[in-house]
Amino acid sequence: MSDLSGFSMTNLFLMEAEEQAQTLSDGLLKLDKNPNDMSDIPALMRAAHSLKGGARIVQSDVIVEFAHAMEDFFVAVSKNELAITSTHIDRLLAGVDIIADMSTCGEDGFKTFAESHEKQFIDMASEFRNFISNPETAASPEPEPKPEPKPQKETPPEEIVIKPTPDSANFEGQIFPDSSAEKSEPEPDQVPAPEESFTSSESNGVIRKFSSSKDGLVKVAAPRMEKILGLAGETFIHTKKVRSVEETFQLIRSDFSLFSDILEKLIGYIPDHHMTEDLQYSCSMIKEDYDKLFRRLSAFASNISDFGLEMEGFSEKLYDEVVACKIMPFEDLSKVFSRMVRDVSRKLGKKVNLKIIGEKTGLDRDILEKLEAPLVHLLRNAIDHGLETPVERKDSGKSEAGTIVISAFHWAGMFNITMTDDGRGINIENLRKTIVERGLVNSDMAKNMPENEVLDFLFLPGFSTKKTVSELSGRGVGLDVVMNMIQEVKGEITIDTKLGEFTAFKMRLPVSLSVVSSLIVDIGEEFYAFPANRIDHLLHVPVEELKTLENHQFVEYNGKNIGVVAGRDIFGYPPKGVENNIIPLLVVSDRYNCYAMAVDRFIGEEKIAVRPLDKRLGKLTCINSVSILDDGSTVLIADIDDVVRSIDNRIKNNLLHNFTRSESSGDSETSLRILVVDDSITVRELEKHILESQNYSVDTAVNGVDGWNAVRTVSYDLVITDIDMPRMNGFELVTKIKSDMRLTDIPVIIVSYKDREEDRLKGMECGANYYLTKSSFHDNTLIDAVKKLTGKAVTS
């Protein structure tokens, strides 16, 4: 045997017991459905064989005897010496339950567990051997109640199971090399000898198992996995900053060129001829030295940029892989449903077929764990409330066996799961009566409620439609727990039903709590992220289209009146008038209310890594978490439900401001609005100063992406853009504007340091109306071009 000194054999055995118990349970449930299908018998024999070998290593004779008897039973079935029955499966599953409970008892509790269950292990082993020796007798006592697991002294850290990729270095085999322990006892030919494997212990107490098969698993403590995810995200952000070296260099070069041009102009105003010559000479020498320096720096910056681009690609792949490690297949949860459905349906005397579709659909591990209890409750409800008895189904023309279908799939960036039963459905009219009887609403309100609102009452705490209380239902506990879990992960649930035919629970959940596709907006000159799956609509509405009722403004959309509120009010910023007559609106809702929240502008959509807020901050109003954008800036992630509640409270307390146009846009007949796009703050402010001196209204954008977002959200009479900018250059911006049918008529002027004919031709090909050099700042060329393209000048 390999040297395993320093490792806990008991912990390793308990880990193996957990896996083998699941293998046994899955195989037995398949046999229960189709006793003639022998394809899973070899796997069942291997599982019992491995369990026996591990028990021998930890010196538990009673478990060795139990597992050996179970293995002999499966061997007899494989040789057609024994026909397996439901009674056999009941007793085998009862034994598997004890093994599953044992796997949770922990190293300290293992000895006590084995001793307290010694009689059960011996009796079951005897029972299995009696089945073999008396194959005609399938009857056996009722299954003993499932023992309660012993409380653990210490809760081990959560674990994340990572499945290595096929091209990784893997090691195949069982955890316990028990070949030496089995030498004294010949084994059946059908059972392959287990192979050696490697194990290691973690400093935090979590054991990692290395398996050589393609399905090999590595168990990692959840806190460590979260730390790795955070580090991968930071690596991704920081590598993007490497590429900014070249962008910074270009900014410095642009600013120096502008300074040099301005200095040369100023020299011309100096009356002293000799001083002018000296300054000109000094300037030429400085410019020559800087040109040499810039050439060297340019090559260096280019190399750094290339390196940064490679690292950015690598770090993005690393981050995506780490995030993927937290995405687990739905089957990791659904594999427990078959056993539960079998047990509950037998207890209620019903026949049930369970179908699971989309088992490979991925979902964040944290959500998957939270989903177990709600789905188990919905399954119990479907069997108890939804499905009829075989006699009732036969009388109504249905098959005796009811069907429950659980389907999981990705759609619209969400994890969608639907549970449907073909049972009696929900009687909406009886539900209305129950609501009135409980004093929740009066009869007139209940009569006029739409069906979806009536069904929502099922999610209230303590609400039940059953007149009698049973072990499974009637206590009024359950669906409110389902709703709480769905709301906790920012999901949605709805009910669809038809009396006598079906009931379906439809849930929409985020695929991951770690990465969220979000719309970035500007409110009060701060960035906020709104999860895209919680946004109903994006609108651009002129102020004139807002209507007012009882001092509250609203907008009509799709035949509905939606209340309009200012995001500045909700997030605590001073009110601001509408400068361009157009209001960007973000329509958000919860189950009961829907509002249109005005923002200053839409920035764009990004996938962002969710990071929790520092616990010392407590719960921040309307804020759920925080993230970092690609450019390294911080963004707060909005809590949509909290936002809607805050809006509702402010409306009730009359704490909202109505929208009015700002003074800067009061004269719509003469005010012309111009967008200046340039990454140099010096150039932006100079152009803005020149244009505002002619009484034009000027907005600025710091790069091509910022300019593209601005021109789509605000109505401009003219766009002036630079060429060399980060994220999107001027040529790309002009092409996008001229390719958009809504924007193609906006005139565009390119103003650049580049005075080459090929750049001028390229600008014209993209659709620019004018191509000017930045020397035009110092004469009237720019203003003349603006007047010509806009058709009129603005005078004071």
Side-chain angles (χ1 to χ4, degrees):
M1 181 182 292
S2 301
D3 180 15
L4 297 176
S5 59
F7 297 95
S8 168
M9 289 295 100
T10 302
N11 265 336
L12 293 174
F13 170 65
L14 294 177
M15 287 177 59
E16 181 74 355
E18 180 184 10
E19 295 179 10
Q20 303 304 348
Q22 186 62 56
T23 300
L24 289 166
S25 179
D26 292 344
L28 288 170
L29 290 174
K30 290 181 181 178
L31 275 175
D32 188 44
K33 291 182 178 179
N34 189 358
N36 297 321
D37 185 0
M38 297 288 103
S39 60
D40 286 307
I41 292 297
L44 293 171
M45 289 191 294
R46 284 194 298 271
H49 178 76
S50 297
L51 188 63
K52 177 182 64 177
R56 181 167 281 112
I57 287 178
V58 296
Q59 300 178 352
S60 179
D61 294 338
V62 292
I63 300 178
V64 169
E65 179 62 21
F66 165 83
H68 196 172
M70 183 181 286
E71 181 186 6
D72 287 344
F73 177 89
F74 292 133
V75 171
V77 173
S78 71
K79 293 180 177 179
N80 294 319
E81 297 173 358
L82 178 65
I84 197 164
T85 67
S86 294
T87 300
H88 294 145
I89 291 176
D90 283 342
R91 302 307 296 138
L92 289 165
L93 285 174
V96 172
D97 286 343
I98 298 177
I99 295 298
D101 287 343
M102 179 192 69
S103 69
T104 66
C105 69
E107 180 180 3
D108 294 339
F110 171 69
K111 185 177 180 181
T112 302
F113 185 96
E115 290 174 353
S116 63
H117 291 77
E118 180 176 353
K119 185 177 185 303
Q120 285 179 288
F121 281 126
I122 293 174
D123 290 348
M124 284 190 169
S126 176
E127 194 173 2
F128 297 156
R129 296 199 184 283
N130 183 55
F131 288 152
I132 299 172
S133 58
N134 300 285
E136 296 82 10
T137 59
S140 63
E142 286 298 313
E144 297 183 29
K146 183 176 177 180
E148 292 294 327
K150 298 295 181 181
Q152 301 181 33
K153 294 182 180 180
E154 185 176 332
T155 303
E158 292 183 275
E159 297 176 351
I160 295 178
V161 180
I162 304 174
K163 295 186 177 181
T165 54
D167 57 345
S168 302
N170 298 319
F171 300 95
E172 185 168 19
Q174 304 290 335
I175 281 188
F176 305 104
D178 60 344
S179 55
S180 61
E182 297 297 319
K183 286 182 179 177
S184 60
E185 185 178 341
E187 297 299 331
D189 294 338
Q190 293 91 339
V191 181
E195 301 169 340
E196 187 175 8
S197 69
F198 303 87
T199 60
S200 67
S201 64
E202 281 294 316
S203 59
N204 56 14
V206 178
I207 306 297
R208 291 186 178 184
K209 183 186 80 171
F210 298 90
S211 171
S212 64
S213 68
K214 290 185 178 179
D215 295 323
L217 304 177
V218 179
K219 291 191 175 182
V220 183
R224 177 163 294 180
M225 191 67 196
E226 293 295 337
K227 186 175 182 179
I228 293 173
L229 179 62
L231 291 173
E234 289 182 18
T235 302
F236 179 53
I237 295 299
H238 288 308
T239 51
K240 287 181 172 292
K241 294 180 180 178
V242 176
R243 295 188 62 198
S244 66
V245 171
E246 186 176 27
E247 296 170 6
T248 303
F249 165 72
Q250 295 296 343
L251 287 175
I252 295 173
R253 185 169 190 173
S254 298
D255 289 345
F256 175 76
S257 297
L258 178 62
F259 170 75
S260 179
D261 291 342
I262 294 174
L263 186 59
E264 288 181 358
K265 294 291 184 181
L266 290 175
I267 292 173
Y269 292 99
I270 298 175
D272 191 323
H273 177 69
H274 295 292
M275 184 180 293
T276 301
E277 290 182 349
D278 291 341
L279 286 172
Q280 287 177 338
Y281 176 77
S282 299
C283 286
S284 64
M285 293 300 295
I286 292 173
K287 194 170 184 179
E288 184 178 341
D289 291 340
Y290 266 91
D291 285 341
K292 293 178 181 178
L293 177 61
F294 282 139
R295 281 194 295 270
R296 294 177 182 176
L297 287 176
S298 179
F300 173 74
S302 179
N303 291 335
I304 290 292
S305 181
D306 291 343
F307 171 75
L309 185 61
E310 293 176 4
M311 288 300 297
E312 187 177 323
F314 166 77
S315 61
E316 185 172 7
K317 290 179 181 178
L318 171 64
Y319 181 75
D320 290 343
E321 287 296 323
V322 175
V323 170
C325 289
K326 287 196 65 182
I327 303 298
M328 302 297 179
F330 179 62
E331 66 180 345
D332 282 9
L333 171 61
S334 63
K335 61 188 177 184
V336 304
F337 294 157
S338 296
R339 171 70 187 281
M340 191 271 288
V341 169
R342 178 185 185 272
D343 293 345
V344 174
S345 60
R346 285 173 65 111
K347 183 175 291 187
L348 295 175
K350 297 182 179 181
K351 297 180 180 180
V352 182
N353 293 322
L354 175 65
K355 296 181 181 179
I356 301 177
I357 303 171
E359 290 184 297
K360 301 299 182 183
T361 308
L363 181 65
D364 189 295
R365 164 187 171 275
D366 295 332
I367 301 178
L368 198 66
E369 289 179 349
K370 295 177 185 294
L371 194 57
E372 180 177 2
L375 286 182
V376 166
H377 180 81
L378 290 177
L379 268 174
R380 288 176 177 270
N381 260 13
I383 301 171
D384 189 19
H385 286 266
L387 297 178
E388 310 93 332
T389 64
V391 174
E392 291 172 333
R393 292 182 64 86
K394 190 174 181 180
D395 291 343
S396 62
K398 298 180 180 179
S399 61
E400 291 187 0
T403 300
I404 298 175
V405 179
I406 302 176
S407 59
F409 57 96
H410 289 157
W411 184 77
M414 299 287 283
F415 178 86
N416 295 261
I417 180 167
T418 301
M419 183 182 297
T420 307
D421 68 74
D422 64 346
R424 55 175 60 94
I426 299 174
N427 191 317
I428 301 294
E429 296 312 311
N430 285 347
L431 184 55
R432 291 184 197 272
K433 293 178 182 178
T434 303
I435 294 170
V436 175
E437 290 172 0
R438 291 176 179 267
L440 299 174
V441 298
N442 59 42
S443 57
D444 290 336
M445 290 179 64
K447 183 179 180 180
N448 295 320
M449 273 187 183
E451 287 191 0
N452 64 312
E453 290 188 16
V454 175
L455 290 169
D456 280 346
F457 279 89
L458 293 173
F459 294 108
L460 290 178
F463 190 92
S464 177
T465 57
K466 267 211 163 185
K467 303 298 183 182
T468 59
V469 174
S470 69
E471 181 184 348
L472 294 175
S473 61
R475 294 174 174 81
V477 177
L479 285 183
D480 61 315
V481 176
V482 175
M483 174 60 74
N484 290 339
M485 177 270 162
I486 298 296
Q487 290 179 339
E488 183 181 347
V489 299
K490 313 303 178 188
E492 301 173 356
I493 183 170
T494 57
I495 306 175
D496 189 16
T497 187
K498 187 172 183 179
L499 189 62
E501 295 188 17
F502 73 91
T503 299
F505 287 84
K506 301 177 180 180
M507 290 161 277
R508 296 179 70 242
L509 309 170
V511 175
S512 174
L513 295 177
S514 302
V515 178
V516 179
S517 180
S518 301
L519 176 70
I520 312 300
V521 303
D522 177 7
I523 302 175
E525 299 183 359
E526 294 288 344
F527 287 166
Y528 290 88
F530 286 76
N533 61 287
R534 294 299 308 275
I535 298 174
D536 298 342
H537 306 285
L538 298 179
L539 306 175
H540 289 96
V541 179
V543 176
E544 293 80 13
E545 292 188 11
L546 295 183
K547 301 176 183 179
T548 303
L549 180 64
E550 295 182 349
N551 202 35
H552 296 309
Q553 290 181 312
F554 65 92
V555 63
E556 186 176 342
Y557 181 73
N558 283 346
K560 295 181 179 180
N561 292 332
I562 303 175
V564 177
V565 299
R568 284 174 166 263
D569 283 346
I570 304 305
F571 288 93
Y573 296 98
K576 181 182 179 181
V578 181
E579 296 183 355
N580 57 358
N581 196 39
I582 301 294
I583 307 176
L585 294 177
L586 194 69
V587 181
V588 294
S589 63
D590 59 10
R591 295 179 63 83
Y592 309 105
N593 300 293
C594 178
Y595 298 107
M597 188 178 73
V599 301
D600 294 346
R601 59 183 176 132
F602 300 137
I603 304 299
E605 185 178 1
E606 285 192 27
K607 284 187 177 181
I608 57 177
V610 178
R611 300 185 179 189
L613 292 166
D614 192 309
K615 293 181 179 179
R616 292 171 293 183
L617 296 174
K619 176 64 176 78
L620 298 182
T621 304
C622 299
I623 301 300
N624 178 49
S625 47
V626 68
S627 186
I628 298 177
L629 300 180
D630 287 350
D631 60 3
S633 58
T634 302
V635 61
L636 296 171
I637 302 175
D639 183 332
I640 302 296
D641 291 324
D642 204 8
V643 167
V644 175
R645 284 193 294 268
S646 296
I647 294 173
D648 193 47
N649 289 334
R650 283 184 165 269
I651 288 177
K652 290 178 181 177
N653 294 291
N654 199 26
L655 298 176
L656 296 174
H657 296 88
N658 284 343
F659 290 93
T660 58
R661 296 185 61 182
S662 65
E663 294 179 0
S664 62
S665 60
D667 188 0
S668 59
E669 293 184 357
T670 59
S671 180
L672 295 179
R673 195 172 195 85
I674 298 175
L675 175 65
V676 172
V677 187
D678 201 300
D679 58 341
S680 170
I681 185 172
T682 308
V683 175
R684 287 199 306 272
E685 292 305 312
L686 180 60
E687 290 186 30
K688 183 177 181 182
H689 174 74
I690 293 172
L691 294 168
E692 287 182 342
S693 68
Q694 300 295 315
N695 291 325
Y696 292 103
S697 177
V698 182
D699 290 341
T700 60
V702 298
N703 55 51
V705 172
D706 194 24
W708 174 236
N709 289 325
V711 81
R712 286 183 298 166
T713 57
V714 177
S715 178
Y716 290 105
D717 300 289
L718 177 71
V719 173
I720 301 174
T721 180
D722 185 22
I723 293 178
D724 295 322
M725 296 181 294
R727 302 186 71 185
M728 182 191 294
N729 64 43
F731 293 139
E732 294 170 336
L733 174 60
V734 175
T735 301
K736 280 183 170 291
I737 292 174
K738 295 301 180 179
S739 300
D740 192 318
M741 293 186 64
R742 298 168 300 172
L743 308 174
T744 187
D745 292 330
I746 300 176
V748 180
I749 299 175
I750 291 179
V751 180
S752 173
Y753 284 117
K754 296 183 176 181
D755 195 19
R756 298 182 304 177
E757 186 61 21
E758 55 265 36
D759 292 321
R760 186 184 301 275
L761 291 175
K762 186 174 182 181
M764 295 297 110
E765 289 173 358
C766 292
N769 301 84
Y770 264 80
Y771 187 106
L772 305 176
T773 62
K774 292 185 178 178
S775 60
S776 60
F777 294 170
H778 310 293
D779 53 35
N780 291 326
T781 306
L782 175 62
I783 295 301
D784 291 341
V786 171
K787 292 177 180 178
K788 186 172 183 179
L789 290 176
T790 57
K792 59 182 176 179
V794 178
T795 58
S796 56

